[in-house]
Amino acid sequence: MKVVTTIAELRKILAALPKPLGLVPTMGYLHEGHLSLVRRARGECVSVVVSIFVNPTQFGENEDLSAYPRDLDRDFDLLGAEGADLVWTPTQEEIYPVGYQTWVTVENLSQMLEGHHRPGHFRGVTTVVAKLFNATQPDKAYFGQKDAQQAVVIRRMTEDLNFPLEVVVCPTLREPDGLAMSSRNTYLDPKQRQAATVVYRSLAAAVQAFETGERDAEVLRNRMSEVLSTEPLAEPQYVSVANPETLEELNGSVERSLFSMAVYVGKTRLIDNVVVGD
Ligand code: AMP
């Protein structure tokens, strides 16, 4: 496995790698969720490149950019064991050189759900992902359903900008107690870690209600909120039942829908989702 930093080095090595090429973009501090994307790419592509870049432009002013967990040596070991061919760890200076002023914005989808609470977040995501696509020119790019809105926004961008690649969205990997794997879970102390299980329990309660015939969007949202309210350490920011493609909030009777939420446990902001009605 090779590790490169500059775009020039990246291009040189990519030119010699056989196609099809799979790209797995990450912010590092890898866990099984990330590795499941690498495995899928390994199974579907001849060459696999993983990018590790903690993208400053997708963090808000009061968010955890400087505290974001990092351990590159551990990441390299994990990726080596998964058979990644190449790891790209660009510098901030190369991605955003002095004078940088070009942005990629997916207008409407970026304003919904997460976008409403994290203004500018998706502008940062789509800009960096467009740059990663341009630099690596993959045939397939792998993302997690854990970040459901990100997947929808990136699919839209890929289509709108005619990137000649397939966006592959992989299932959310969870801890045995249901908590979605996330690099941010390391912020939780043992009490908070226990409290964080309420996120998946509330989604599971709404799924169960849906599966036993409940179709009213408001009742389903209330079911999630009810379960969340049983955990004093959990502070929900939003609870949503939305159209999985347009991300618009739904009312009345629903069929296929995205149940999603953002919940603070202490200072840690957790997001999770499930799609029902497939
Ligand atoms: P991140 O490093 O958090 O930016 O995540 C990199 C990629 O891994 C994104 O496409 C995420 O959606 C995906 N990912 C993160 N957590 C999980 C998980 N628990 N299961 C599956 N994919 C995940």
Side-chain angles (χ1 to χ4, degrees):
M1 186 181 81
K2 295 203 164 74
V3 178
V4 294
T5 304
T6 66
I7 294 179
E9 289 171 292
L10 175 78
R11 291 212 164 115
K12 210 165 137 191
I13 293 180
L14 283 176
L17 283 183
K19 297 257 178 178
L21 175 71
L23 166 69
V24 182
T26 80
M27 298 204 298
Y29 212 71
L30 303 178
H31 51 67
E32 277 294 314
H34 298 112
L35 299 180
S36 73
L37 271 52
V38 177
R39 269 172 222 145
R40 176 87 175 261
R42 187 69 283 165
E44 295 181 355
C45 302
V46 176
S47 303
V48 175
V49 54
V50 179
S51 61
I52 301 179
F53 181 61
V54 182
N55 176 35
T57 63
Q58 70 188 67
F59 286 77
E61 267 178 27
N62 302 315
E63 295 184 357
D64 55 345
L65 173 62
S66 59
Y68 197 84
R70 292 163 168 87
D71 189 343
L72 278 181
D73 289 334
R74 183 171 155 277
D75 291 347
F76 296 156
D77 287 345
L78 291 169
L79 293 172
E82 292 300 335
D85 297 287
L86 179 58
V87 183
W88 179 31
T89 57
T91 61
Q92 284 198 25
E93 293 72 26
E94 188 160 23
I95 299 294
Y96 301 110
V98 174
Y100 190 84
Q101 47 185 302
T102 302
W103 300 95
V104 176
T105 309
V106 174
E107 303 262 328
N108 294 342
L109 290 170
S110 294
Q111 306 299 322
M112 321 296 279
L113 297 172
E114 284 292 288
H116 186 71
H117 298 278
R118 302 185 70 189
H121 169 67
F122 286 111
R123 181 178 92 139
V125 170
T126 42
T127 299
V128 81
V129 171
K131 291 180 67 101
L132 300 177
F133 284 180
N134 279 333
T136 55
Q137 311 215 340
D139 299 286
K140 294 186 177 211
Y142 295 82
F143 295 88
Q145 175 63 24
K146 160 76 170 43
D147 299 281
Q149 183 172 9
Q150 171 171 279
V152 171
V153 167
I154 286 169
R155 269 193 203 288
R156 183 79 255 161
M157 176 191 80
T158 302
E159 207 175 312
D160 288 355
L161 295 183
N162 311 103
F163 280 110
L165 61 91
E166 183 189 339
V167 172
V168 181
V169 180
C170 306
T172 303
L173 257 75
R174 301 180 178 282
E175 301 289 352
D177 62 10
L179 179 67
M181 290 180 181
S182 166
S183 309
R184 291 189 165 98
N185 292 349
T186 55
Y187 298 147
L188 301 167
D189 69 25
K191 268 194 182 154
Q192 292 171 333
R193 171 64 186 77
Q194 175 52 36
T197 61
V198 77
V199 173
Y200 184 64
R201 282 188 281 121
S202 68
L203 286 168
V207 170
Q208 201 200 5
F210 184 88
E211 281 173 354
T212 53
E214 181 57 63
R215 287 292 180 274
D216 188 87
E218 192 58 21
V219 173
L220 291 163
R221 276 188 289 269
N222 288 342
R223 187 74 197 103
M224 292 188 265
S225 300
E226 240 169 60
V227 177
L228 289 170
S229 70
T230 63
E231 176 47 69
L233 295 183
E235 279 179 53
Q237 189 176 41
Y238 70 84
V239 168
S240 162
V241 172
N243 178 308
E245 278 86 37
T246 65
L247 307 179
E248 277 159 354
E249 206 55 35
L250 295 172
N251 286 301
S253 182
V254 298
E255 285 306 330
R256 191 163 178 271
S257 17
L258 172 70
F259 298 175
S260 69
M261 60 183 63
V263 178
Y264 278 97
V265 176
K267 287 192 174 131
T268 306
R269 187 173 181 278
L270 301 172
I271 58 168
D272 201 354
N273 70 87
V274 291
V275 175
V276 295
D278 268 328

